[in-house]
């Protein structure tokens, strides 16, 4: 029913809506809708019914669901809302991962990660990423008439992030990590009940195994750094091990390094693979966008020797390609939303959200608001030519202190991959059915099989 009154803390009443069955609440409906790609509809139905603020029960907690740019901004910048252990993923990734800490610890750990993931460091790795993309296309795309895109993009993004985090060796270790990641994601959407045979339990165990693997590699790196056989710039682990505070102590504890190396691998893998897969899907049916991209990339190679690697400055010329990526992220945001926990009773639009409640923001619903994005279903990269939209309308990376620290890496990997892909191949969708499910990242039907044609010799 619509009844909104009663309960709650000081001032106003709690938002309208219903909390459903205790513990399970709306979780099953939510998870089912994710799997059937009706998650957008699941949230839209509630928002249509109750308005931009409503209550429901998700993943075992009473939850306030907020939607719209103003709501997003409220969530992203509110100090009484913390990303916390109530959500499954922070708990799964470890006590000291960026997702599980707040306040000064968050600032310190986020600062350390951004030292590696910011443009100053990442610009050094463009050449390495360029080589990995070329090798991947050479090995898995060249000479084929059909490929399945999503698994290939998962492989590529996984190889790039593990090389950045762990360094170039260790392929067996990477395979082991890869297997554990599957379990980790399974539990991210599950009711957080740590009992045998639950998805949640499998993901806790997968994460524990992955962190043991990372611990072993970290110890080896530490020794190699001490012996002068490795450089702090080799990879993320070496960089984090080399950073010190004002007393000369290691800035991040060993546990923090391990948990955040895992968070980085997890953060950089599925989301990016989804983005690149959906760009490929779009380009198959959108010759005008493809032609504009090809033109942009041909212009860039005009000034380069044949086979010369891309460098940082080349990427700043790929403005249209980045708008294509943003428009793809608008229509199919890899992270559809996420939650916070209220540390105090807080008020939004006259409603009280009681202390301890979960607050959920959603990207999808705002991204399809015709008041902000006219004709919202239309794919139109030129929407991003201007900056006139209200703050936090485009929420694919979040905003504020918790904004995604991986955005520069997303840009580099996407631009480099698309540069080589659109210049060397054209393709058609093998299936016209345009559906996808979330697991929790958007996954197209059958992994997006395509028929492939190669322009000439790979260049
Ligand atoms: C297309 C790709 C990506 C998308 C759409 C994406 C999206 C997001 C979003 C929306 C958040 C904020 C969640 C919130 O506010 O609750 C976030 C946080 C995060 N992302 Fe990404 N991300 C992507 C790629 C990456 C990459 C490449 C990395 C690592 C290199 C990464 C690492 C993280 C981490 C560690 C956080 C937690 C930040 C914090 O809590 O302070 N992500 N991401």
């Amino acid at each position: 029913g619509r009844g909104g009154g009663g309960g709650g803390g000081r001032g106003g009443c709690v938002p309208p809506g219903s909390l459903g069955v205790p513990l399970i609440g709306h979780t099953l409906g939510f998870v089912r809708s994710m799997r059937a790609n009706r998650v957008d509809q699941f949230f839209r139905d509630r928002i249509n019914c109750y308005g931009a603020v409503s209550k429901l029960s998700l993943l075992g907690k009473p939850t306030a669901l907020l939607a719209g740019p103003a709501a997003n901004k409220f969530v992203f910048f509110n100090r009484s809302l913390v990303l916390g252990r109530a959500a499954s993923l922070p708990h799964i990734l470890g006590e000291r991962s960026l997702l599980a800490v707040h306040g000064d610890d968050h600032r310190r750990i986020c600062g350390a990660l951004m030292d590696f993931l910011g443009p100053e460091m990442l610009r050094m790795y463009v050449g390495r990423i360029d080589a990995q993309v070329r090798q991947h296309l050479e090995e898995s795309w060249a000479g084929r008439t059909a490929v399945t895109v999503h698994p290939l993009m998962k492989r590529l993004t996984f190889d790039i992030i593990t090389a950045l985090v762990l360094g170039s060796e260790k392929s067996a270790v990477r395979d082991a990590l890869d297997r554990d990641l599957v379990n980790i994601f399974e539990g991210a959407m599950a009711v957080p009940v740590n009992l045998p045979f639950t998805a949640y339990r499998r993901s806790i165990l997968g994460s524990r195994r992955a962190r043991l693997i990372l611990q072993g590699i970290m110890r080896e790196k530490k020794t190699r750094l001490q012996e002068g056989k490795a450089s702090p710039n080799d990879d993320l682990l070496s960089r984090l091990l080399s950073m010190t505070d004002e007393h000369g102590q290691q800035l991040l504890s060993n546990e923090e390094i391990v948990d955040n190396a895992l968070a980085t691998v997890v953060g950089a893998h599925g989301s990016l693979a989804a983005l690149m897969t959906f760009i490929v899907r779009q380009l198959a049916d959108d010759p005008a966008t493809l032609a504009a991209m090809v033109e942009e990339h041909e212009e860039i190679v005009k000034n380069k020797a044949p086979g010369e690697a891309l460098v940082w400055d080349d990427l700043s010329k790929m403005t249209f390609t980045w708008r294509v990526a943003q428009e793809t992220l608008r229509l199919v945001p890899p992270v559809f939303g996420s939650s916070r926990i209220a540390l105090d009773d807080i008020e939004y639009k006259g409603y009280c959200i009681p202390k301890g409640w979960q607050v959920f923001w959603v990207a999808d619903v705002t991204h399809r608001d015709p008041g902000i994005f006219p004709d919202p279903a239309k794919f139109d990269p030129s929407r991003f030519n201007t900056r006139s939209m209200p703050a936090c309308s485009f929420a694919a990376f979040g905003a504020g202190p918790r904004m995604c620290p991986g955005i520069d890496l997303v840009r580099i990997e996407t631009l480099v991959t698309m540069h080589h892909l659109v210049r060397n191949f054209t393709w058609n969708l093998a299936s016209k059915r345009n559906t996808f499910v979330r697991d929790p990242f958007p996954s197209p039907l059958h992994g997006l099989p395509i028929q492939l044609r190669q322009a000439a010799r790979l260049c």
Side-chain angles (χ1 to χ4, degrees):
R2 227 167 224 276
R10 298 183 299 267
C13 45
V14 299
S18 75
L19 293 177
V21 190
L23 184 61
I24 302 294
H26 302 97
T27 305
L28 294 180
F30 166 69
V31 170
R32 221 178 288 133
S33 72
M34 293 268 278
R35 301 240 154 91
N37 186 33
R38 283 183 288 104
V39 70
D40 189 22
Q41 202 55 46
F42 176 88
F43 286 118
R44 194 184 305 281
D45 287 349
R46 299 197 74 80
I47 289 160
N48 285 341
C49 183
Y50 300 115
V53 197
S54 59
K55 70 170 181 287
L56 74 164
S57 169
L58 270 191
L59 304 177
K61 283 255 176 217
T63 303
L65 172 65
L66 305 188
N72 292 345
K73 197 168 168 198
F74 176 80
V75 175
F76 294 146
F77 291 93
N78 195 308
R79 284 168 176 271
S80 298
L81 290 176
V82 296
L83 223 151
R85 297 171 48 104
S88 299
L89 198 57
H91 189 72
I92 292 165
L93 289 177
E95 307 282 325
R96 304 302 300 167
S97 92
L98 199 55
L99 285 84
V101 295
H102 40 266
D104 288 344
D105 281 345
H106 182 265
R107 267 188 290 283
R108 175 174 51 86
I109 295 173
C110 191
L113 281 182
M114 282 310 291
D115 173 74
F116 186 83
L117 293 173
E120 293 75 27
M121 275 299 277
L122 277 188
R123 62 189 302 151
M124 293 182 3
Y125 300 108
V126 174
R128 210 204 257 184
I129 293 171
D130 183 81
Q132 276 183 294
V133 170
R134 284 177 201 239
Q135 186 189 351
H136 169 85
L137 292 179
E138 197 67 71
E139 284 173 6
S140 304
W141 295 64
R144 290 168 205 238
T145 53
V147 294
T148 305
V149 179
H150 198 208
L152 289 180
M153 291 302 185
K154 283 190 190 168
R155 171 61 36 207
L156 175 64
T157 52
F158 182 72
D159 284 348
I160 291 177
I161 195 60
T162 47
L164 279 174
V165 170
L166 310 176
S168 46
E169 68 283 54
K170 304 283 177 209
S171 63
V173 164
R174 274 194 236 162
D175 290 345
L177 261 183
D178 199 8
R179 280 194 297 280
D180 287 328
L181 285 188
V182 175
N183 290 321
I184 289 175
F185 282 124
E186 249 186 10
M189 292 195 299
V191 183
V193 182
N194 192 358
L195 290 173
F197 313 119
T198 60
Y200 187 66
R201 166 74 139 244
R202 277 196 299 279
S203 58
I204 295 275
L205 295 178
S207 164
R208 205 177 286 162
R209 279 193 306 270
R211 281 178 287 153
L212 276 176
I213 295 171
L214 289 167
Q215 257 172 36
I217 304 177
M218 184 185 65
R219 272 193 227 105
E220 270 176 45
K221 295 245 176 247
K222 206 168 191 167
T223 315
R224 290 173 45 116
L225 281 165
Q226 280 159 354
E227 290 169 349
K229 290 182 186 153
S231 145
N233 293 350
D234 284 352
D235 46 63
L236 177 75
L237 280 180
S238 303
R239 187 81 183 174
L240 294 180
L241 282 165
S242 309
M243 294 177 82
T244 51
D245 64 13
E246 65 274 22
H247 310 295
Q249 302 293 315
Q250 194 174 295
L251 182 66
L252 267 54
S253 69
N254 288 348
E255 186 190 357
E256 287 170 348
I257 293 176
V258 166
D259 287 4
N260 287 290
L262 180 62
T264 307
V265 173
V266 167
H269 178 38
S271 53
L272 244 171
L275 167 59
M276 296 206 281
T277 301
F278 281 87
I279 297 178
V280 169
R281 187 180 78 169
Q282 176 63 32
L283 294 179
D285 283 339
D286 186 348
T289 300
L290 178 63
M293 273 175 70
V294 170
E295 194 185 324
E296 177 167 274
H297 292 283
E298 289 303 340
E299 195 57 39
I300 288 163
V301 292
K302 269 190 195 155
N303 302 316
K304 299 178 82 74
E308 187 184 336
L310 289 168
V311 293
W312 179 257
D313 287 344
D314 295 324
L315 305 187
S316 59
K317 297 173 194 146
M318 302 183 187
T319 48
F320 180 73
T321 305
W322 183 239
R323 282 177 198 144
V324 170
Q326 286 176 300
E327 182 66 342
T328 308
L329 289 165
R330 181 183 72 82
L331 284 167
V332 191
V335 177
F336 67 92
S338 84
S339 67
R340 302 285 192 274
I341 284 291
L343 289 181
D344 300 301
D345 289 354
I346 54 171
E347 208 186 298
Y348 183 70
K349 293 207 162 161
Y351 291 110
C352 175
I353 300 170
K355 178 177 174 177
W357 274 38
Q358 192 164 234
V359 176
F360 207 95
W361 65 272
V362 278
D364 240 22
V365 178
T366 315
H367 286 181
R368 287 175 185 264
D369 180 341
I372 306 168
F373 301 102
D375 197 359
K378 183 173 172 221
F379 187 90
D380 177 8
S382 74
R383 295 176 198 279
F384 291 92
N385 292 5
T386 59
R387 296 195 171 272
S388 60
M389 57 187 84
C392 302
S393 307
F394 177 68
F397 294 105
R402 293 284 178 168
M403 180 164 172
C404 179
I407 187 163
D408 291 307
L409 183 59
V410 171
R411 217 180 125 248
I412 297 176
E413 279 191 44
T414 307
L415 296 179
V416 170
T417 305
M418 290 306 142
H419 174 83
H420 293 297
L421 210 55
V422 300
R423 290 181 51 248
N424 288 296
F425 301 97
T426 51
W427 54 89
N428 296 99
L429 300 182
S431 159
K432 282 286 164 200
R433 271 185 66 202
N434 206 359
T435 61
F436 67 93
V437 298
R438 283 190 180 266
D439 70 349
F441 300 112
S443 313
L445 195 68
H446 308 310
L448 197 69
I450 57 171
Q451 289 135 5
L452 196 62
R453 288 175 305 283
Q454 197 166 320
R457 253 187 68 236
L458 272 197
C459 59

